[in-house]
Amino acid sequence: MQEVTTDNIPLTVQGVSGAGRDGRLSTISSLSAGVDSMFSSEAWIEDVEEMGHIQTPAGLERTLGLWSGMAMVIGTMIGSGIFSTTSLILQAVGSVGMSMGVWVIGAGVSVCGCIAYMELGTMLPRSGGEKEYLDAAFRRPRALMSFLFCLSSIAICSPSSLAADSVVTGTYFLYAATGRAVEHSEWAQRIIGLSVVMLCALLHGFFVRLAIRVQSALTVVKLLLLLLIVVVGVCAWAKGNASPDAGFHDAFHGTSVHPSAYLSALFKVMFAYSGFNALNYSIDELKDPVRNLPRAALGGLLVTTVLYVASNAAYFLILDPETVRRSSIAVAGVFFTNTLGNMWGQRIVPVLIGLATLGNVMCGVFAASRLIFEAAREGYLPGGRVLGEISRFQSPLAALAVNCLMTALFIVTPPAGEAFAFQIDVGIYPVWLFQGVAVIGLLIMRRTHYNLPRPFKAWQIANVVTIACAAFMLVVAFVKPSEDAAGNSGSIPYWAAPLTALTFIALSCGFWYIQIVYRRGLERSLYRQKNAGFE
């Protein structure tokens, strides 16, 4: 491996593609023509085609190996979903058998998406995820697709997901305090959720090392909890301590036939499976990404899938379907109450579940603040000098404050009683949109940039399944549910979540014109100024 520099920006040449190019660094001179090449995905593609894989100018140390990368995927995926969405999914699809089937279908779709992202990540091995892939595949209008992705993630996807996890944290802490699954005040849950978000922001803002240690410890708690659910469920079932109507006999009785029911269920399931592409956002810190990205991403997803399916099977082995429906988002608390008794089930284990979802909030706050920080520095957001600066505590304090404020809005604004489901739906809609578009971009780049090194090539069926599922989720969201379908009642219309997401994305096009075209945000970015020697 040979270290070279251009304009004091380190570049690591990991390989040179093409016969007779070993040792030739002539393409490096093209980078010195201007700082623009360091920020343009078009220039990046040209460099990759000519030289192979190049480290990004971030200068991040590669500290993640195979096992730590797999742990990151598992820790990002396991959050409030498995502890809270089982009841909502059963309400939607109507039967135990179909509920389990939806979890398996979600796993299959996630595997297909993971395989597609493995090609994207090894083909363009730089951090940023969809931001980089969309910018590379859709060059005109300049940075439009990547801008829309960044703004949607910052303003909708991340805060809505964090709000949902925070509310679940409050739910389980209140369950431990009161022993009731659905009767306590929803506003009490929201107040605890607000406190959780502020606590995580303060820890990541002022005690960075402590926050990372706490985050790692809570990831262990999440894994142990899922294993505990499986072991306790099997043991209780073997001893005959299950509800008389529990189990999988007549498993498909009451199955819904309306497509919108499965859309609602898939939204919740994919909320639980979200995070399989976590390493694509931090690939600069992954050792040997061409080799470790596919293994860590797919391995982490498969481990999580086994735990998810086994945990849901444990729920249904012990609890009858009606109890699961009534448990709302505290199904895990009800499960442990029925198996371990009031002290463990209502006091101890719900606290551990609350701590596990708190860990997911900590991971989300960390990632969201870094996205705001990087987007501001690259000129995608105004106020780069504030949002893109590191505080004396070695943290992006301003970015953390913005993320905390936006998450608080998602916690307090939805009407009581339906906030959790609305937050999931409005947050996952843009995720499906941009994941589908990113895979379409992958197919486009196979034709327009066929010379790009592709250490891993996704099966075409995986790409087709990912795009088809994304299209299904995007279109059927506007189909009116049947009269008896879950979620067809209440103050929030069925079309509110997808329309909210699409309206925001459409309005963001105007903001893109102002920030990127009129104000020339990319040219005036903090990255550009610092590397040009202005600061």
Side-chain angles (χ1 to χ4, degrees), residues 347-359:
R347 307 300 178 188
I348 299 176
V349 173
V351 171
L352 297 178
I353 296 174
L355 291 174
T357 55
L358 171 63

Side-chain angles (χ1 to χ4, degrees), residues 86-103 247-257 261-262 265 316 321-322 324-325:
T86 297
S87 173
L88 301 175
I89 293 166
L90 181 60
Q91 291 173 23
V93 300
S95 68
V96 171
M98 189 54 67
S99 179
M100 292 294 298
V102 169
W103 280 96
F248 295 93
H249 52 276
D250 200 13
F252 291 92
H253 175 71
T255 298
S256 174
V257 296
Y262 297 94
F316 290 122
E322 187 58 33
V324 174
R325 290 189 185 94

Side-chain angles (χ1 to χ4, degrees), residues 290-469:
V290 170
R291 181 170 181 237
N292 285 332
L293 176 64
R295 299 166 68 194
L298 194 57
L301 174 57
L302 293 178
V303 169
T304 305
T305 296
V306 171
L307 291 174
Y308 277 2
V309 174
S311 297
N312 276 277
Y315 290 149
F316 290 122
L317 281 175
I318 302 302
L319 304 176
D320 61 86
E322 187 58 33
T323 300
V324 174
R325 290 189 185 94
R326 291 199 312 267
S327 66
S328 185
I329 59 177
V331 61
V334 176
F335 169 84
F336 281 115
T337 299
N338 285 28
T339 53
L340 299 180
N342 289 341
M343 176 57 70
W344 273 87
Q346 294 185 1
R347 307 300 178 188
I348 299 176
V349 173
V351 171
L352 297 178
I353 296 174
L355 291 174
T357 55
L358 171 63
N360 223 51
V361 177
M362 290 196 69
C363 291
V365 168
F366 178 88
S369 64
R370 267 57 181 182
L371 179 58
I372 295 173
F373 169 77
E374 290 295 335
R377 288 175 67 87
E378 292 187 19
Y380 286 83
L381 297 177
R385 291 182 177 275
V386 177
L387 295 177
E389 285 292 345
I390 296 292
S391 72
R392 63 187 182 90
F393 302 101
Q394 295 301 303
S395 64
L397 274 179
L400 282 163
V402 169
N403 177 249
C404 187
L405 176 62
M406 300 183 72
T407 303
L409 291 176
F410 272 87
I411 292 176
V412 302
T413 52
E418 305 162 77
F420 182 75
F422 177 80
Q423 288 159 0
I424 293 176
D425 291 347
V426 76
I428 202 68
Y429 195 87
V431 171
W432 274 108
L433 174 63
F434 289 109
Q435 282 186 1
V437 174
V439 178
I440 292 174
L442 169 63
L443 300 181
I444 292 174
M445 284 190 286
R446 283 186 178 181
R447 295 177 61 87
T448 59
H449 298 88
Y450 52 85
N451 288 330
L452 272 174
R454 286 177 172 83
F456 179 91
K457 190 170 183 179
W459 303 320
Q460 196 72 338
I461 185 64
N463 299 326
V464 172
V465 168
T466 303
I467 295 171
C469 189

Side-chain angles (χ1 to χ4, degrees), residues 514-529:
I514 294 172
Q515 178 66 15
I516 303 299
V517 179
Y518 180 74
R519 297 187 70 246
R520 301 179 67 213
L522 299 183
E523 288 80 0
R524 301 169 62 186
S525 68
L526 194 60
Y527 274 147
R528 188 67 56 82
Q529 293 180 17

